Amino acid sequence: MTRTDVPSGLREQAPRYALLPLRIFLGLTFVYAGLDKLTDATFLSADGAGSIGELMRGVRDTAAFPAMVDLALDSPVGCAVALAIGEILVGLGTLAGLLTRIAATGGALISLSLWLTVSWAVTPYYYGNDLIYLMAWTPLILAGARYLSLDSLIRSRRSRRTA
């Protein structure tokens, strides 16, 4: 199909939905990551192979901010649960398009904290996925979810009430 074969209405509509695949991917990924953490008893342990505690102790000396890891090591399981719940809330908000900019900012902050701690020492840098996730949240922070979202539904209902 050539550019001239694409109906002009479809071509005009495409930019509106350009962020939808990114929104779906990030939302599903963060919900999955949170649920995966909450359902992994090994991960939700302060000590032992595969535990959050072992992971944190393993990255402590290579993190950009070791003090962040030290703070998390005061309560590694609590930190893991908070991270998992945060990921689930961010993912659900992103999927539903509810408070999308706030959810995306939360996702970016989670990704930033993981980049500065867990994946900081990954070389070359592009092998670490947390920096990529941080950048992927940026378009949603800037643009929000204008279409196929609860944000747009709320916005349209408000504008109808004021009209």
Side-chain angles (χ1 to χ4, degrees), residues 112-145:
L112 177 63
S113 67
L114 292 173
W115 176 53
L116 293 174
T117 55
V118 177
S119 61
W120 181 256
V122 173
T123 57
Y125 76 92
Y126 51 82
Y127 282 169
N129 62 351
D130 297 311
L131 179 59
I132 295 164
Y133 280 108
L134 172 60
M135 294 299 112
W137 285 111
T138 304
L140 293 176
I141 293 170
L142 296 173

PDB file of all heavy atoms in Angstrom, residues 112-145:
ATOM      1  N   LEU A 112      14.123   5.681  37.056  1.00  0.00           N
ATOM      2  CA  LEU A 112      15.311   6.449  37.445  1.00  0.00           C
ATOM      3  C   LEU A 112      15.976   5.843  38.674  1.00  0.00           C
ATOM      4  O   LEU A 112      17.201   5.672  38.705  1.00  0.00           O
ATOM      5  CB  LEU A 112      14.935   7.911  37.714  1.00  0.00           C
ATOM      6  CG  LEU A 112      16.067   8.823  38.209  1.00  0.00           C
ATOM      7  CD1 LEU A 112      17.164   8.940  37.150  1.00  0.00           C
ATOM      8  CD2 LEU A 112      15.513  10.187  38.585  1.00  0.00           C
ATOM      9  N   SER A 113      15.190   5.508  39.680  1.00  0.00           N
ATOM     10  CA  SER A 113      15.782   4.939  40.893  1.00  0.00           C
ATOM     11  C   SER A 113      16.430   3.587  40.602  1.00  0.00           C
ATOM     12  O   SER A 113      17.508   3.285  41.142  1.00  0.00           O
ATOM     13  CB  SER A 113      14.743   4.833  42.012  1.00  0.00           C
ATOM     14  OG  SER A 113      13.757   3.883  41.693  1.00  0.00           O
ATOM     15  N   LEU A 114      15.819   2.783  39.747  1.00  0.00           N
ATOM     16  CA  LEU A 114      16.419   1.495  39.388  1.00  0.00           C
ATOM     17  C   LEU A 114      17.683   1.687  38.548  1.00  0.00           C
ATOM     18  O   LEU A 114      18.659   0.954  38.697  1.00  0.00           O
ATOM     19  CB  LEU A 114      15.410   0.619  38.655  1.00  0.00           C
ATOM     20  CG  LEU A 114      14.236   0.126  39.502  1.00  0.00           C
ATOM     21  CD1 LEU A 114      13.206  -0.580  38.634  1.00  0.00           C
ATOM     22  CD2 LEU A 114      14.705  -0.759  40.635  1.00  0.00           C
ATOM     23  N   TRP A 115      17.671   2.687  37.676  1.00  0.00           N
ATOM     24  CA  TRP A 115      18.859   2.960  36.866  1.00  0.00           C
ATOM     25  C   TRP A 115      20.019   3.409  37.750  1.00  0.00           C
ATOM     26  O   TRP A 115      21.152   2.959  37.584  1.00  0.00           O
ATOM     27  CB  TRP A 115      18.541   4.006  35.804  1.00  0.00           C
ATOM     28  CG  TRP A 115      19.725   4.423  34.981  1.00  0.00           C
ATOM     29  CD1 TRP A 115      20.574   3.599  34.294  1.00  0.00           C
ATOM     30  CD2 TRP A 115      20.188   5.744  34.769  1.00  0.00           C
ATOM     31  NE1 TRP A 115      21.538   4.346  33.664  1.00  0.00           N
ATOM     32  CE2 TRP A 115      21.329   5.665  33.940  1.00  0.00           C
ATOM     33  CE3 TRP A 115      19.747   7.001  35.198  1.00  0.00           C
ATOM     34  CZ2 TRP A 115      22.036   6.790  33.521  1.00  0.00           C
ATOM     35  CZ3 TRP A 115      20.449   8.115  34.769  1.00  0.00           C
ATOM     36  CH2 TRP A 115      21.570   8.011  33.952  1.00  0.00           C
ATOM     37  N   LEU A 116      19.744   4.289  38.702  1.00  0.00           N
ATOM     38  CA  LEU A 116      20.811   4.816  39.558  1.00  0.00           C
ATOM     39  C   LEU A 116      21.321   3.793  40.574  1.00  0.00           C
ATOM     40  O   LEU A 116      22.355   4.024  41.201  1.00  0.00           O
ATOM     41  CB  LEU A 116      20.319   6.067  40.299  1.00  0.00           C
ATOM     42  CG  LEU A 116      20.036   7.278  39.413  1.00  0.00           C
ATOM     43  CD1 LEU A 116      19.416   8.400  40.236  1.00  0.00           C
ATOM     44  CD2 LEU A 116      21.294   7.744  38.691  1.00  0.00           C
ATOM     45  N   THR A 117      20.616   2.710  40.728  1.00  0.00           N
ATOM     46  CA  THR A 117      21.034   1.704  41.707  1.00  0.00           C
ATOM     47  C   THR A 117      21.346   0.374  41.021  1.00  0.00           C
ATOM     48  O   THR A 117      22.502  -0.007  40.904  1.00  0.00           O
ATOM     49  CB  THR A 117      19.943   1.503  42.784  1.00  0.00           C
ATOM     50  OG1 THR A 117      18.703   1.170  42.167  1.00  0.00           O
ATOM     51  CG2 THR A 117      19.783   2.748  43.640  1.00  0.00           C
ATOM     52  N   VAL A 118      20.345  -0.305  40.541  1.00  0.00           N
ATOM     53  CA  VAL A 118      20.505  -1.671  40.034  1.00  0.00           C
ATOM     54  C   VAL A 118      21.292  -1.730  38.727  1.00  0.00           C
ATOM     55  O   VAL A 118      22.174  -2.567  38.566  1.00  0.00           O
ATOM     56  CB  VAL A 118      19.128  -2.347  39.873  1.00  0.00           C
ATOM     57  CG1 VAL A 118      19.259  -3.740  39.289  1.00  0.00           C
ATOM     58  CG2 VAL A 118      18.405  -2.388  41.206  1.00  0.00           C
ATOM     59  N   SER A 119      20.987  -0.880  37.783  1.00  0.00           N
ATOM     60  CA  SER A 119      21.626  -1.021  36.464  1.00  0.00           C
ATOM     61  C   SER A 119      22.671   0.051  36.154  1.00  0.00           C
ATOM     62  O   SER A 119      23.120   0.158  35.015  1.00  0.00           O
ATOM     63  CB  SER A 119      20.563  -1.079  35.359  1.00  0.00           C
ATOM     64  OG  SER A 119      19.793   0.083  35.328  1.00  0.00           O
ATOM     65  N   TRP A 120      23.086   0.803  37.142  1.00  0.00           N
ATOM     66  CA  TRP A 120      24.062   1.866  36.930  1.00  0.00           C
ATOM     67  C   TRP A 120      25.376   1.340  36.355  1.00  0.00           C
ATOM     68  O   TRP A 120      25.969   1.959  35.476  1.00  0.00           O
ATOM     69  CB  TRP A 120      24.328   2.613  38.236  1.00  0.00           C
ATOM     70  CG  TRP A 120      25.303   3.724  38.087  1.00  0.00           C
ATOM     71  CD1 TRP A 120      26.610   3.732  38.469  1.00  0.00           C
ATOM     72  CD2 TRP A 120      25.067   5.000  37.491  1.00  0.00           C
ATOM     73  NE1 TRP A 120      27.206   4.929  38.144  1.00  0.00           N
ATOM     74  CE2 TRP A 120      26.261   5.722  37.542  1.00  0.00           C
ATOM     75  CE3 TRP A 120      23.955   5.595  36.905  1.00  0.00           C
ATOM     76  CZ2 TRP A 120      26.376   7.018  37.050  1.00  0.00           C
ATOM     77  CZ3 TRP A 120      24.065   6.892  36.410  1.00  0.00           C
ATOM     78  CH2 TRP A 120      25.270   7.580  36.489  1.00  0.00           C
ATOM     79  N   ALA A 121      25.858   0.220  36.832  1.00  0.00           N
ATOM     80  CA  ALA A 121      27.170  -0.291  36.430  1.00  0.00           C
ATOM     81  C   ALA A 121      27.133  -1.129  35.158  1.00  0.00           C
ATOM     82  O   ALA A 121      28.172  -1.627  34.716  1.00  0.00           O
ATOM     83  CB  ALA A 121      27.764  -1.105  37.570  1.00  0.00           C
ATOM     84  N   VAL A 122      25.965  -1.289  34.548  1.00  0.00           N
ATOM     85  CA  VAL A 122      25.872  -2.089  33.323  1.00  0.00           C
ATOM     86  C   VAL A 122      26.635  -1.364  32.215  1.00  0.00           C
ATOM     87  O   VAL A 122      26.428  -0.177  31.982  1.00  0.00           O
ATOM     88  CB  VAL A 122      24.396  -2.308  32.921  1.00  0.00           C
ATOM     89  CG1 VAL A 122      24.299  -2.992  31.575  1.00  0.00           C
ATOM     90  CG2 VAL A 122      23.674  -3.103  33.986  1.00  0.00           C
ATOM     91  N   THR A 123      27.529  -2.102  31.553  1.00  0.00           N
ATOM     92  CA  THR A 123      28.277  -1.508  30.452  1.00  0.00           C
ATOM     93  C   THR A 123      28.194  -2.413  29.243  1.00  0.00           C
ATOM     94  O   THR A 123      28.214  -3.633  29.399  1.00  0.00           O
ATOM     95  CB  THR A 123      29.764  -1.294  30.816  1.00  0.00           C
ATOM     96  OG1 THR A 123      30.326  -2.533  31.202  1.00  0.00           O
ATOM     97  CG2 THR A 123      29.928  -0.273  31.914  1.00  0.00           C
ATOM     98  N   PRO A 124      28.095  -1.844  28.075  1.00  0.00           N
ATOM     99  CA  PRO A 124      27.801  -0.447  27.816  1.00  0.00           C
ATOM    100  C   PRO A 124      26.406  -0.079  28.328  1.00  0.00           C
ATOM    101  O   PRO A 124      25.560  -0.945  28.513  1.00  0.00           O
ATOM    102  CB  PRO A 124      27.881  -0.322  26.298  1.00  0.00           C
ATOM    103  CG  PRO A 124      27.799  -1.708  25.755  1.00  0.00           C
ATOM    104  CD  PRO A 124      28.190  -2.640  26.847  1.00  0.00           C
ATOM    105  N   TYR A 125      26.209   1.174  28.545  1.00  0.00           N
ATOM    106  CA  TYR A 125      24.987   1.656  29.208  1.00  0.00           C
ATOM    107  C   TYR A 125      23.705   1.179  28.525  1.00  0.00           C
ATOM    108  O   TYR A 125      22.682   0.991  29.172  1.00  0.00           O
ATOM    109  CB  TYR A 125      24.987   3.183  29.325  1.00  0.00           C
ATOM    110  CG  TYR A 125      24.671   3.891  28.020  1.00  0.00           C
ATOM    111  CD1 TYR A 125      23.370   4.227  27.699  1.00  0.00           C
ATOM    112  CD2 TYR A 125      25.668   4.209  27.107  1.00  0.00           C
ATOM    113  CE1 TYR A 125      23.065   4.858  26.506  1.00  0.00           C
ATOM    114  CE2 TYR A 125      25.375   4.823  25.922  1.00  0.00           C
ATOM    115  CZ  TYR A 125      24.077   5.152  25.614  1.00  0.00           C
ATOM    116  OH  TYR A 125      23.774   5.764  24.438  1.00  0.00           O
ATOM    117  N   TYR A 126      23.743   0.989  27.240  1.00  0.00           N
ATOM    118  CA  TYR A 126      22.511   0.625  26.526  1.00  0.00           C
ATOM    119  C   TYR A 126      22.091  -0.827  26.753  1.00  0.00           C
ATOM    120  O   TYR A 126      21.023  -1.225  26.318  1.00  0.00           O
ATOM    121  CB  TYR A 126      22.612   0.932  25.031  1.00  0.00           C
ATOM    122  CG  TYR A 126      23.846   0.389  24.350  1.00  0.00           C
ATOM    123  CD1 TYR A 126      23.904  -0.926  23.926  1.00  0.00           C
ATOM    124  CD2 TYR A 126      24.946   1.215  24.139  1.00  0.00           C
ATOM    125  CE1 TYR A 126      25.030  -1.428  23.306  1.00  0.00           C
ATOM    126  CE2 TYR A 126      26.080   0.725  23.516  1.00  0.00           C
ATOM    127  CZ  TYR A 126      26.117  -0.596  23.101  1.00  0.00           C
ATOM    128  OH  TYR A 126      27.236  -1.078  22.489  1.00  0.00           O
ATOM    129  N   TYR A 127      22.901  -1.607  27.453  1.00  0.00           N
ATOM    130  CA  TYR A 127      22.474  -2.950  27.851  1.00  0.00           C
ATOM    131  C   TYR A 127      21.526  -2.914  29.043  1.00  0.00           C
ATOM    132  O   TYR A 127      20.790  -3.846  29.273  1.00  0.00           O
ATOM    133  CB  TYR A 127      23.670  -3.831  28.202  1.00  0.00           C
ATOM    134  CG  TYR A 127      24.416  -4.383  27.015  1.00  0.00           C
ATOM    135  CD1 TYR A 127      25.645  -4.995  27.193  1.00  0.00           C
ATOM    136  CD2 TYR A 127      23.907  -4.318  25.721  1.00  0.00           C
ATOM    137  CE1 TYR A 127      26.341  -5.522  26.126  1.00  0.00           C
ATOM    138  CE2 TYR A 127      24.605  -4.835  24.649  1.00  0.00           C
ATOM    139  CZ  TYR A 127      25.821  -5.441  24.860  1.00  0.00           C
ATOM    140  OH  TYR A 127      26.508  -5.962  23.800  1.00  0.00           O
ATOM    141  N   GLY A 128      21.573  -1.852  29.815  1.00  0.00           N
ATOM    142  CA  GLY A 128      20.682  -1.719  30.970  1.00  0.00           C
ATOM    143  C   GLY A 128      19.330  -1.187  30.527  1.00  0.00           C
ATOM    144  O   GLY A 128      19.239  -0.177  29.828  1.00  0.00           O
ATOM    145  N   ASN A 129      18.259  -1.857  30.914  1.00  0.00           N
ATOM    146  CA  ASN A 129      16.946  -1.451  30.411  1.00  0.00           C
ATOM    147  C   ASN A 129      16.304  -0.315  31.199  1.00  0.00           C
ATOM    148  O   ASN A 129      15.387   0.319  30.715  1.00  0.00           O
ATOM    149  CB  ASN A 129      15.999  -2.655  30.351  1.00  0.00           C
ATOM    150  CG  ASN A 129      15.751  -3.269  31.703  1.00  0.00           C
ATOM    151  OD1 ASN A 129      16.387  -2.920  32.687  1.00  0.00           O
ATOM    152  ND2 ASN A 129      14.831  -4.196  31.756  1.00  0.00           N
ATOM    153  N   ASP A 130      16.752  -0.025  32.399  1.00  0.00           N
ATOM    154  CA  ASP A 130      16.082   0.999  33.204  1.00  0.00           C
ATOM    155  C   ASP A 130      16.198   2.390  32.600  1.00  0.00           C
ATOM    156  O   ASP A 130      15.255   3.177  32.672  1.00  0.00           O
ATOM    157  CB  ASP A 130      16.607   0.971  34.644  1.00  0.00           C
ATOM    158  CG  ASP A 130      16.301  -0.355  35.318  1.00  0.00           C
ATOM    159  OD1 ASP A 130      15.125  -0.778  35.245  1.00  0.00           O
ATOM    160  OD2 ASP A 130      17.210  -0.967  35.883  1.00  0.00           O
ATOM    161  N   LEU A 131      17.335   2.701  31.989  1.00  0.00           N
ATOM    162  CA  LEU A 131      17.492   4.000  31.330  1.00  0.00           C
ATOM    163  C   LEU A 131      16.548   4.106  30.133  1.00  0.00           C
ATOM    164  O   LEU A 131      15.931   5.145  29.904  1.00  0.00           O
ATOM    165  CB  LEU A 131      18.942   4.207  30.888  1.00  0.00           C
ATOM    166  CG  LEU A 131      19.244   5.513  30.157  1.00  0.00           C
ATOM    167  CD1 LEU A 131      18.894   6.720  31.017  1.00  0.00           C
ATOM    168  CD2 LEU A 131      20.713   5.544  29.737  1.00  0.00           C
ATOM    169  N   ILE A 132      16.387   3.022  29.405  1.00  0.00           N
ATOM    170  CA  ILE A 132      15.478   3.021  28.255  1.00  0.00           C
ATOM    171  C   ILE A 132      14.037   3.240  28.724  1.00  0.00           C
ATOM    172  O   ILE A 132      13.284   4.012  28.128  1.00  0.00           O
ATOM    173  CB  ILE A 132      15.621   1.708  27.462  1.00  0.00           C
ATOM    174  CG1 ILE A 132      17.027   1.620  26.866  1.00  0.00           C
ATOM    175  CG2 ILE A 132      14.562   1.592  26.376  1.00  0.00           C
ATOM    176  CD1 ILE A 132      17.424   0.242  26.403  1.00  0.00           C
ATOM    177  N   TYR A 133      13.650   2.559  29.814  1.00  0.00           N
ATOM    178  CA  TYR A 133      12.303   2.773  30.355  1.00  0.00           C
ATOM    179  C   TYR A 133      12.126   4.226  30.803  1.00  0.00           C
ATOM    180  O   TYR A 133      11.074   4.824  30.571  1.00  0.00           O
ATOM    181  CB  TYR A 133      12.016   1.820  31.522  1.00  0.00           C
ATOM    182  CG  TYR A 133      11.631   0.437  31.081  1.00  0.00           C
ATOM    183  CD1 TYR A 133      12.504  -0.626  31.228  1.00  0.00           C
ATOM    184  CD2 TYR A 133      10.387   0.194  30.507  1.00  0.00           C
ATOM    185  CE1 TYR A 133      12.152  -1.898  30.810  1.00  0.00           C
ATOM    186  CE2 TYR A 133      10.030  -1.066  30.088  1.00  0.00           C
ATOM    187  CZ  TYR A 133      10.913  -2.112  30.242  1.00  0.00           C
ATOM    188  OH  TYR A 133      10.557  -3.363  29.820  1.00  0.00           O
ATOM    189  N   LEU A 134      13.132   4.784  31.438  1.00  0.00           N
ATOM    190  CA  LEU A 134      13.062   6.185  31.859  1.00  0.00           C
ATOM    191  C   LEU A 134      12.767   7.079  30.656  1.00  0.00           C
ATOM    192  O   LEU A 134      11.884   7.936  30.717  1.00  0.00           O
ATOM    193  CB  LEU A 134      14.379   6.590  32.538  1.00  0.00           C
ATOM    194  CG  LEU A 134      14.565   8.060  32.880  1.00  0.00           C
ATOM    195  CD1 LEU A 134      13.494   8.547  33.838  1.00  0.00           C
ATOM    196  CD2 LEU A 134      15.961   8.285  33.462  1.00  0.00           C
ATOM    197  N   MET A 135      13.466   6.873  29.562  1.00  0.00           N
ATOM    198  CA  MET A 135      13.244   7.678  28.358  1.00  0.00           C
ATOM    199  C   MET A 135      11.876   7.390  27.744  1.00  0.00           C
ATOM    200  O   MET A 135      11.224   8.286  27.217  1.00  0.00           O
ATOM    201  CB  MET A 135      14.348   7.419  27.328  1.00  0.00           C
ATOM    202  CG  MET A 135      15.724   7.884  27.755  1.00  0.00           C
ATOM    203  SD  MET A 135      15.791   9.666  28.052  1.00  0.00           S
ATOM    204  CE  MET A 135      16.028   9.711  29.804  1.00  0.00           C
ATOM    205  N   ALA A 136      11.418   6.134  27.825  1.00  0.00           N
ATOM    206  CA  ALA A 136      10.126   5.771  27.233  1.00  0.00           C
ATOM    207  C   ALA A 136       8.964   6.449  27.948  1.00  0.00           C
ATOM    208  O   ALA A 136       7.914   6.694  27.340  1.00  0.00           O
ATOM    209  CB  ALA A 136       9.954   4.251  27.250  1.00  0.00           C
ATOM    210  N   TRP A 137       9.121   6.751  29.227  1.00  0.00           N
ATOM    211  CA  TRP A 137       8.047   7.424  29.970  1.00  0.00           C
ATOM    212  C   TRP A 137       7.922   8.893  29.564  1.00  0.00           C
ATOM    213  O   TRP A 137       6.848   9.490  29.717  1.00  0.00           O
ATOM    214  CB  TRP A 137       8.288   7.339  31.479  1.00  0.00           C
ATOM    215  CG  TRP A 137       7.990   5.988  32.041  1.00  0.00           C
ATOM    216  CD1 TRP A 137       8.880   5.084  32.541  1.00  0.00           C
ATOM    217  CD2 TRP A 137       6.698   5.381  32.175  1.00  0.00           C
ATOM    218  NE1 TRP A 137       8.219   3.951  32.959  1.00  0.00           N
ATOM    219  CE2 TRP A 137       6.887   4.111  32.749  1.00  0.00           C
ATOM    220  CE3 TRP A 137       5.403   5.787  31.856  1.00  0.00           C
ATOM    221  CZ2 TRP A 137       5.832   3.239  33.019  1.00  0.00           C
ATOM    222  CZ3 TRP A 137       4.351   4.924  32.117  1.00  0.00           C
ATOM    223  CH2 TRP A 137       4.566   3.667  32.699  1.00  0.00           C
ATOM    224  N   THR A 138       8.973   9.479  29.042  1.00  0.00           N
ATOM    225  CA  THR A 138       8.994  10.913  28.747  1.00  0.00           C
ATOM    226  C   THR A 138       7.862  11.373  27.818  1.00  0.00           C
ATOM    227  O   THR A 138       7.199  12.371  28.120  1.00  0.00           O
ATOM    228  CB  THR A 138      10.372  11.322  28.194  1.00  0.00           C
ATOM    229  OG1 THR A 138      11.370  10.925  29.147  1.00  0.00           O
ATOM    230  CG2 THR A 138      10.464  12.815  27.975  1.00  0.00           C
ATOM    231  N   PRO A 139       7.585  10.704  26.693  1.00  0.00           N
ATOM    232  CA  PRO A 139       6.475  11.174  25.850  1.00  0.00           C
ATOM    233  C   PRO A 139       5.128  11.179  26.568  1.00  0.00           C
ATOM    234  O   PRO A 139       4.303  12.067  26.335  1.00  0.00           O
ATOM    235  CB  PRO A 139       6.469  10.182  24.679  1.00  0.00           C
ATOM    236  CG  PRO A 139       7.825   9.576  24.661  1.00  0.00           C
ATOM    237  CD  PRO A 139       8.300   9.580  26.080  1.00  0.00           C
ATOM    238  N   LEU A 140       4.909  10.210  27.453  1.00  0.00           N
ATOM    239  CA  LEU A 140       3.638  10.182  28.183  1.00  0.00           C
ATOM    240  C   LEU A 140       3.579  11.268  29.249  1.00  0.00           C
ATOM    241  O   LEU A 140       2.497  11.773  29.551  1.00  0.00           O
ATOM    242  CB  LEU A 140       3.411   8.799  28.801  1.00  0.00           C
ATOM    243  CG  LEU A 140       3.192   7.680  27.776  1.00  0.00           C
ATOM    244  CD1 LEU A 140       3.072   6.330  28.474  1.00  0.00           C
ATOM    245  CD2 LEU A 140       1.978   7.951  26.926  1.00  0.00           C
ATOM    246  N   ILE A 141       4.715  11.623  29.809  1.00  0.00           N
ATOM    247  CA  ILE A 141       4.749  12.751  30.751  1.00  0.00           C
ATOM    248  C   ILE A 141       4.391  14.035  30.009  1.00  0.00           C
ATOM    249  O   ILE A 141       3.605  14.853  30.477  1.00  0.00           O
ATOM    250  CB  ILE A 141       6.133  12.886  31.430  1.00  0.00           C
ATOM    251  CG1 ILE A 141       6.392  11.689  32.350  1.00  0.00           C
ATOM    252  CG2 ILE A 141       6.243  14.198  32.202  1.00  0.00           C
ATOM    253  CD1 ILE A 141       7.823  11.611  32.876  1.00  0.00           C
ATOM    254  N   LEU A 142       4.965  14.199  28.827  1.00  0.00           N
ATOM    255  CA  LEU A 142       4.741  15.424  28.051  1.00  0.00           C
ATOM    256  C   LEU A 142       3.345  15.501  27.440  1.00  0.00           C
ATOM    257  O   LEU A 142       2.718  16.552  27.463  1.00  0.00           O
ATOM    258  CB  LEU A 142       5.792  15.524  26.934  1.00  0.00           C
ATOM    259  CG  LEU A 142       7.238  15.667  27.388  1.00  0.00           C
ATOM    260  CD1 LEU A 142       8.172  15.579  26.190  1.00  0.00           C
ATOM    261  CD2 LEU A 142       7.441  16.956  28.160  1.00  0.00           C
ATOM    262  N   ALA A 143       2.857  14.394  26.890  1.00  0.00           N
ATOM    263  CA  ALA A 143       1.607  14.432  26.130  1.00  0.00           C
ATOM    264  C   ALA A 143       0.394  13.891  26.880  1.00  0.00           C
ATOM    265  O   ALA A 143      -0.733  14.208  26.527  1.00  0.00           O
ATOM    266  CB  ALA A 143       1.786  13.653  24.827  1.00  0.00           C
ATOM    267  N   GLY A 144       0.615  13.052  27.879  1.00  0.00           N
ATOM    268  CA  GLY A 144      -0.516  12.423  28.552  1.00  0.00           C
ATOM    269  C   GLY A 144      -1.193  11.421  27.636  1.00  0.00           C
ATOM    270  O   GLY A 144      -0.594  10.924  26.693  1.00  0.00           O
ATOM    271  N   ALA A 145      -2.438  11.123  27.922  1.00  0.00           N
ATOM    272  CA  ALA A 145      -3.223  10.180  27.103  1.00  0.00           C
ATOM    273  C   ALA A 145      -4.479  10.902  26.644  1.00  0.00           C
ATOM    274  O   ALA A 145      -5.499  10.878  27.310  1.00  0.00           O
ATOM    275  CB  ALA A 145      -3.567   8.935  27.915  1.00  0.00           C
TER     276      ALA A 145
END
